[in-house]
Amino acid sequence: MEKNERGALIILYRLLLVLLICLVLVIIGLTLYSLVFGKKGDAAVPAAVPAGVPQTVQDNSDSESIFTGIGRLRLPAADSDVTGSVVVISITFPYDPDDWAFTEELAARIKDFRTIAGDFMLETNTSELSKMSEDQLKNTLLERFNRILRLGKIRTLYFNDFMVIE
């Protein structure tokens, strides 16, 4: 290496070191500022809903919210290739919003809930669906949803929509 290149590298390393030190000082300064002048309140309650958790309807009479993240699904039934039938279903359920670990697990499992509902519909033809009561359908989906959950369990399911369109 030539002497000029070595000198330039030394200057570059020193400049990067100074920038790194400044960045660390800014982070420490802002942390101390927020600790001293930050909002006083209950530190155990998070300020925001975890990423990915859909907005919920909260009932203030008890500390439960309704999980609406699964949304409305349009799923083919097992015999849809023959009949062209589609199942439209909207699944919601109550959960405790104060249980942040379970709330985050629910948000992370939205795709799995949709897949489970879709797989069930693909296993069931329209005549079987019409013979099943709403409670049987809810219990079957509830059991399958709870199988994948580790940090809590869903107690009941609600169907805002349930239609078999042939």
Side-chain angles (χ1 to χ4, degrees):
M1 222 183 238
E2 293 183 22
K3 191 173 188 178
N4 288 341
E5 289 177 10
R6 188 180 301 165
L9 282 176
I10 291 174
I11 291 172
L12 181 63
Y13 288 140
R14 287 183 180 168
L15 179 63
L16 290 174
L17 181 62
V18 168
L19 287 173
L20 181 64
I21 291 172
C22 289
L23 182 62
V24 169
L25 289 175
V26 167
I27 290 172
I28 291 172
L30 289 174
T31 302
L32 290 175
Y33 178 82
S34 68
L35 287 174
V36 173
F37 298 107
K39 180 181 172 185
K40 305 291 185 205
D42 189 4
V45 177
V49 174
V53 175
Q55 294 296 322
T56 58
V57 179
Q58 186 161 3
D59 181 6
N60 291 331
S61 62
D62 54 10
S63 64
E64 284 192 339
S65 292
I66 303 297
F67 188 83
T68 59
I70 299 171
R72 179 179 289 159
L73 305 172
R74 289 171 181 82
L75 306 165
D79 55 353
S80 65
D81 54 340
V82 176
T83 63
S85 59
V86 176
V87 178
V88 178
I89 188 168
S90 178
I91 305 169
T92 61
F93 53 86
Y95 74 101
D96 181 8
D98 295 330
D99 185 352
W100 285 94
F102 186 54
T103 302
E104 288 177 354
E105 182 181 23
L106 292 175
R109 295 288 187 171
I110 290 173
K111 184 177 178 183
D112 296 330
F113 292 146
R114 290 178 178 162
T115 301
I116 288 169
D119 290 347
F120 175 74
M121 295 307 163
L122 283 174
E123 297 169 2
T124 313
N125 62 40
T126 53
S127 64
E128 292 171 338
L129 282 173
S130 62
K131 290 177 187 174
M132 291 179 86
S133 72
E134 186 175 323
D135 287 337
Q136 289 174 318
L137 182 58
K138 286 179 181 180
N139 289 336
T140 302
L141 288 173
L142 180 65
E143 177 187 331
R144 291 181 182 201
F145 286 175
N146 280 332
R147 268 191 232 148
I148 65 169
L149 296 173
R150 302 285 177 243
L151 301 176
K153 296 294 177 200
I154 302 168
R155 293 186 313 273
T156 187
L157 291 181
Y158 302 127
F159 291 163
N160 295 336
D161 294 319
F162 180 70
M163 294 180 283
V164 179
I165 302 170
E166 296 185 52

